[in-house]
Amino acid sequence: MTVMTSPEGTVAGPDLERLWKTRRDRDRFQWSSLALMTPAFGLLIILFLIPMGYAVYLGLTNLTLVGPDSVKWGFTGLQNLSRLRQDSTFWTSLWVTGGFIGGSIVGVLVAGYWLASLLMRARPWMRIVVGGVVVVSWMMPAVTAGMTWYASTTQGGALGTLIGMRNTNFLDSWPLVIVTLANIWSMTGFSMLVIGAALRNIPSEAIEAAMVENASAWQRFRSIVLPLLRPTMIAVVLLTALLSLANFGLIYIMTQGGPGNATNILPLYSYQQAFSFNNLAYGALIGNVMVLLATVFGVLYVRVAAPRS
């Protein structure tokens, strides 16, 4: 019988074959670890599952902020879901939300990559000044950012003055474009920092080898830079989508969803239904739709960010 030495000692015959077919780095679940995870499970249940379950239940009731149904309210089944399906304003808000998130993703990616690549070649003092300004805009509270953009884009604001259109109110003319630009401006600092860190990790030898082969700048970007940046860019896309979906304060300060429903994204519409029109249950149902969308983006992010074996 053939005897060979393995990491676990002396093993022979079929046992050896079975041993080497087993991955030694495979994670093994240990039931005793459940005891250590009990506090985390408790917090998850108390802080997430119970509130979410209650929010789902409220979305299926007739609860209002004022009136008889604010005291004596009850379960109404799928009545609110039927109303949601026939609500044209909801579908408009859903499309506006998609446009707002999609425009923000493209702008944040392009602006973040452009700034990160420029600052890598800039002088140290320029990196400090420009990088500091961009990061400050990212850290600025939504209320401050909203007031800044509101003052700059209304009639007589800084934007109109700079481009020779002082009497133009851009929030009336291009409301969704302006709020999307404001959102891009407030999130570019995050994208710049993340993409900049990824760019610095690209091996210079690969770029130099491509230059020796007379590859153009576009060919180097397409064949070397973009594949190496893809995981980082996917993470930026998903996080930008999640943060944009939750960016209630910026648009509320700038337009409150107007003019009409031009900037009425789902968080604003949920707020309006719950606290302006007193329909707490219907507002909760719209909030549940946002949670579903955020869950989709969250699951995608976890799958992308998970380490590959």
Side-chain angles (χ1 to χ4, degrees):
M1 179 180 295
T2 302
V3 178
M4 296 182 64
T5 302
S6 73
E8 293 188 350
T10 302
V11 184
D15 292 335
L16 177 65
E17 183 179 357
R18 177 182 56 79
L19 176 64
W20 289 115
K21 285 184 178 178
T22 303
R23 280 183 48 180
R24 310 311 299 164
D25 61 340
R26 180 174 297 167
D27 294 333
R28 291 171 174 79
F29 180 77
Q30 297 181 1
W31 290 99
S32 60
S33 63
L34 289 177
L36 300 176
M37 298 175 65
T38 300
F41 282 137
L43 289 175
L44 179 65
I45 293 172
I46 294 173
L47 299 180
F48 181 75
L49 294 181
I50 292 178
M52 272 304 306
Y54 188 62
V56 170
Y57 172 71
L58 286 182
L60 302 176
T61 66
N62 60 348
L63 177 64
T64 60
L65 188 63
V66 296
D69 290 333
S70 65
V71 179
K72 296 181 180 180
W73 54 277
F75 183 77
T76 57
L78 301 181
Q79 181 176 333
N80 285 336
L81 286 174
S82 178
R83 174 184 175 184
L84 186 71
R85 183 174 58 85
Q86 301 173 10
D87 187 353
S88 60
T89 304
F90 166 76
W91 294 108
T92 300
S93 179
L94 190 62
W95 281 107
V96 169
T97 303
F100 175 69
I101 293 176
S104 297
I105 288 173
V106 173
V108 167
L109 270 182
V110 173
Y113 175 80
W114 180 68
L115 283 172
S117 59
L118 283 182
L119 292 182
M120 284 186 65
R121 299 188 294 269
R123 297 181 180 274
W125 67 267
M126 188 176 296
R127 284 200 298 268
I128 295 174
V129 173
V130 176
V133 170
V134 176
V135 171
V136 166
S137 67
W138 171 43
M139 299 177 64
M140 189 176 295
V143 173
T144 307
M147 289 298 299
T148 301
W149 273 82
Y150 177 83
S152 301
T153 56
T154 51
Q155 186 173 353
L159 179 61
T161 302
L162 288 174
I163 64 176
M165 301 174 64
R166 181 177 176 82
N167 294 325
T168 302
N169 188 338
F170 294 97
L171 278 178
D172 282 340
S173 304
W174 302 288
L176 186 59
V177 173
I178 296 300
V179 296
T180 303
L181 288 175
N183 191 48
I184 293 170
W185 175 80
S186 67
M187 298 182 64
T188 295
F190 157 74
S191 176
M192 181 193 72
L193 292 176
V194 174
I195 294 177
L199 284 174
R200 286 189 290 272
N201 287 328
I202 295 178
S204 59
E205 295 83 0
I207 303 295
E208 294 169 358
M211 295 176 67
V212 170
E213 296 294 332
N214 293 323
S216 64
W218 167 247
Q219 289 173 329
R220 295 196 299 270
F221 173 78
R222 183 188 62 187
S223 303
I224 299 175
V225 176
L226 186 58
L228 294 175
L229 284 183
R230 186 174 288 114
T232 299
M233 287 189 168
I234 292 175
V236 170
V237 165
L238 295 175
L239 287 174
T240 300
L242 286 170
L243 295 173
S244 299
L245 182 62
N247 202 351
F248 168 88
L250 181 71
I251 298 183
Y252 185 80
I253 291 296
M254 293 180 65
T255 65
Q256 294 187 3
N261 292 311
T263 59
N264 199 15
I265 62 174
L266 285 176
L268 267 73
Y269 189 49
S270 175
Y271 173 85
Q272 290 171 356
Q273 287 292 333
F275 300 105
S276 297
F277 304 143
N278 301 324
N279 298 320
L280 285 178
Y282 193 58
L285 182 62
I286 298 172
N288 294 333
V289 174
M290 290 191 297
V291 171
L292 288 176
L293 292 176
T295 301
V296 171
F297 289 124
V299 170
L300 290 175
Y301 175 72
V302 170
R303 289 181 63 87
V304 170
R308 298 293 187 265
S309 56

